[in-house]
Amino acid sequence: MRLLAFDTSTDVLSLAVQNHSVLLARELAGGPKSSRVLLPESLQLLQQLGLALQDLDAIVYGCGPGAFTGLRTSCAAAQGLAFGSHLSTVPVDSLLAIAEGARHVHGVAQVVAVLDARMQEVYAAPFRWLEAEQRWQREADIQVMKPQDVQVPDGYVLAGNAFAVYPEAFAEYRAERLLHQLPQAEAMLRLAPGLIAAQGLQAPSSIAPLYIRNKVAQTTEERMRARQALELAEKSPAALGD
């Protein structure tokens, strides 16, 4: 396959281009810089492999979870490139990319992926590699939680960057169970064929970031409305009637 992949969910911008059996990858400083360098660096990698955007089979992008600005950058770039070149896309979640990176580098098959979510929280989910089916199975929903609340079943390793950010929360784990791993475009390219086979290609109009925190946290306005409703109910239950 001929694919362009990128992830901007962390402070590292990871890029890779695959032209059948040939692959080129690059990692650069991410964060605020990602929006400025993602497109020119992607085009440069494509040029090195003799490809134009129109030659690609799809664009593989990191959909999250991760840094909000980074996810918006990734999704906007994927959507713009896909619309402009009439391409389909393949979303890859950050924690799945972490699990695949850990498997490829360290040969592990049971991983709890943990990614810094800032605000003293982490994104976490357990994954198990199904050898017979050559695919990962996520064994629970992705959650956002305090780092000390991460549960690691027996036989699993932790992979990600959360224990580097919150070392005290993971101090009880032996070093060999802590694998530093970020979402990498190379891992996303290895995952892409299986994801395409399982769920098909995504139209660029369907691109959206995976904001896990939005599912578990209310906005300030929502909390204020809920508090006001509770105060009103306590003062005058009848006021919430007819």
Side-chain angles (χ1 to χ4, degrees):
M1 299 188 77
R2 294 167 298 183
L3 302 168
L4 164 66
F6 47 81
D7 182 89
T8 59
S9 62
T10 70
D11 290 334
V12 174
L13 165 59
S14 183
L15 293 164
V17 173
Q18 177 182 338
N19 187 358
H20 299 298
S21 62
V22 182
L23 187 148
L24 287 179
R26 185 173 297 169
E27 288 193 348
L28 303 161
K33 296 181 180 179
S34 293
S35 60
R36 297 196 300 273
V37 301
L38 194 159
L39 295 181
E41 291 289 343
S42 296
L43 294 174
Q44 188 177 81
L45 278 181
L46 286 167
Q47 186 177 33
Q48 286 182 251
L49 286 184
L51 294 172
L53 278 168
Q54 292 82 358
D55 298 326
L56 295 174
D57 296 306
I59 291 173
V60 185
Y61 70 98
C63 62
F68 283 14
T69 300
L71 301 190
R72 289 194 291 270
T73 296
S74 178
C75 290
Q79 194 166 55
L81 292 172
F83 268 128
S85 303
H86 306 288
L87 295 171
S88 297
T89 63
V90 183
V92 180
D93 85 59
S94 310
L95 299 185
L96 176 60
I98 286 174
E100 172 57 21
R103 183 187 73 87
H104 184 73
V105 175
H106 301 281
V108 295
Q110 296 182 115
V111 175
V112 176
V114 283
L115 190 64
D116 178 28
R118 303 182 183 178
M119 299 195 297
Q120 299 296 307
E121 292 181 322
V122 299
Y123 300 113
F127 295 85
R128 183 163 59 92
W129 176 253
L130 305 178
E131 183 65 29
E133 301 175 28
Q134 291 291 290
R135 68 175 181 88
W136 284 99
Q137 175 175 284
R138 194 178 71 207
E139 301 192 290
D141 290 340
I142 300 172
Q143 297 185 46
V144 61
M145 62 183 72
K146 297 295 182 184
Q148 60 268 26
D149 293 335
V150 174
Q151 299 296 311
V152 185
D154 291 341
Y156 281 67
V157 298
L158 280 157
N161 69 349
F163 40 85
V165 182
Y166 309 106
E168 67 288 346
F170 301 97
E172 65 182 277
Y173 296 100
R174 300 191 305 273
E176 59 267 27
R177 295 188 71 191
L178 304 177
L179 307 178
H180 181 75
Q181 186 69 49
L182 292 177
Q184 292 181 312
E186 290 179 76
M188 295 162 63
L189 289 177
R190 289 193 299 273
L191 292 165
L195 292 173
I196 294 171
Q199 60 198 33
L201 290 165
Q202 179 191 51
S205 58
S206 299
I207 289 175
L210 180 60
Y211 286 149
I212 299 299
R213 180 171 275 129
N214 282 11
K215 296 180 181 179
V216 297
Q218 292 177 307
T219 65
T220 300
E221 185 180 357
E222 287 171 335
R223 288 195 297 270
M224 185 178 297
R225 283 201 298 263
R227 186 167 60 249
Q228 290 172 342
L230 180 60
E231 291 172 353
L232 179 60
E234 289 174 345
K235 291 178 180 178
S236 176
L240 296 179
D242 300 335

